[in-house]
Amino acid sequence: MTIFRRISMTSQTDRLYRTAAILALITIFYNILEGVVSAWFGFEDESLALFGFGLDSFVEVVSGAGILHMVRRQRDNPDRNPDEFEQRALRITGLSFYVLAVGLLVTAAYDTLHLHAPTTTFWGVVVSCVSIASMWLLIREKVKVGHALGSPAILADAACTRVCLLLSVILLVSSVGYQLTGIGWLDSAGALGIGWFCFKEGKEAFDKARGIPCSCS
C-alpha cells in the first residue's frame, strides 16, 4: 500500500510540475503578444504609458524563460541552487528593467515639460483590461500549484505576476483618465508609475541572482 501511495504522490508531483511549466510557457507567449500589441499601438498613438507597458512585457519574457528553466531544475533536482543560466537571465532582466525605468522617467519628464498628449489611449484601456483578466487567472493557477508543491519559488513567481497585474491597473487608470479628461500629463504619470515598478523589479532580479529571496511585493 505504501509503494502505491508513493507512486501516486510521485505521479501527482510530476503532473504539478508539468502544470507549472505550462503556466510559465503561457506567461512567456502571452507577454510576447502583449509586448508587440502594446508597443505598436503605444508608438502609433504616442502613448508613453502603453509603449512602456509593452517594453515591460518584453523584459518579462526574459524573466519567464528563467522561471521555466527554474521549474524544470526543481523538478529534476529540488535541492540544487540556481544555476548559471538562471543567474544570467536574472541579471539581464534586472539591467533591462533599470534601463527601461530610466528611459520612462526621462521621456515622461520631457513629455510633461512640452505638454505632449497622446492621440488616444483607447488601446491602453483595451490592453489593460485584457491583461488584468489574464494575469488574475495566471496568479490563481500559479498560487494553486505553488501551494500544492510547497514551492516558495513558484509562489514568488505568482507574486511577480501580481506586480504585472498592478502595472495593468496603472495603465488602465491613466488611459481611462486621459480618455475622460484629455489631460496629457496623466499618460506621463502612468508611465512614471510603470517606471517605478520596473525599478523595483530590476532590484529584485539582481537580488535573486545573488541568492537573496524576494517576494516581488
Side-chain angles (χ1 to χ4, degrees):
M1 189 69 176
T2 304
I3 295 176
F4 287 118
R5 187 180 294 115
R6 287 177 180 174
I7 293 174
S8 176
M9 290 178 62
T10 301
S11 176
Q12 183 179 9
T13 300
D14 289 341
R15 180 178 59 80
L16 288 168
Y17 272 118
R18 281 196 300 271
T19 302
I22 291 171
L23 290 172
L25 280 171
I26 291 173
T27 303
I28 290 171
F29 286 111
Y30 176 82
N31 276 313
I32 292 173
L33 177 61
E34 182 180 76
V36 170
V37 172
S38 300
W40 171 264
F41 282 110
F43 180 79
E44 287 291 308
D45 298 337
E46 299 183 15
S47 171
L48 180 60
L50 182 56
F51 186 74
F53 186 78
L55 295 184
D56 175 87
S57 297
F58 286 128
V59 180
E60 295 288 354
V61 171
V62 181
S63 177
I67 294 297
L68 178 61
H69 182 78
M70 177 203 71
V71 170
R72 290 175 174 170
R73 172 182 58 79
Q74 283 195 333
R75 179 190 59 195
D76 299 333
N77 194 344
D79 299 324
R80 203 176 80 186
N81 292 325
D83 59 19
E84 185 179 348
F85 178 88
E86 287 175 62
Q87 292 175 337
R88 187 182 298 116
L90 286 167
R91 292 190 190 101
I92 293 173
T93 300
L95 179 61
S96 300
F97 274 132
Y98 278 150
V99 171
L100 178 55
V102 172
L104 288 174
L105 172 63
V106 172
T107 310
Y110 178 87
D111 284 355
T112 301
L113 289 173
H114 289 79
L115 303 178
H116 173 78
T119 306
T120 177
T121 54
F122 169 78
W123 287 108
V125 176
V126 174
V127 169
S128 58
C129 287
V130 173
S131 182
I132 288 171
S134 302
M135 292 301 106
W136 181 81
L137 289 172
L138 283 172
I139 291 166
R140 188 183 68 176
E141 295 304 313
K142 287 180 180 181
V143 168
K144 189 187 300 182
V145 172
H147 280 305
L149 287 171
S151 170
I154 294 176
L155 290 173
D157 178 41
C160 290
T161 305
R162 194 172 292 115
V163 173
C164 296
L165 189 148
L166 291 175
L167 291 176
S168 303
V169 171
I170 291 174
L171 177 62
L172 178 62
V173 170
S174 65
S175 298
V176 169
Y178 177 77
Q179 283 292 105
L180 293 176
T181 66
I183 300 175
W185 61 261
L186 287 174
D187 183 66
S188 297
L192 287 175
I194 292 172
W196 167 247
F197 275 104
C198 286
F199 177 81
K200 291 183 67 177
E201 286 189 276
K203 181 180 182 302
E204 294 215 2
F206 276 113
D207 286 345
K208 286 180 184 177
R210 294 194 297 268
I212 302 174
C214 298
S215 62
C216 289
S217 58

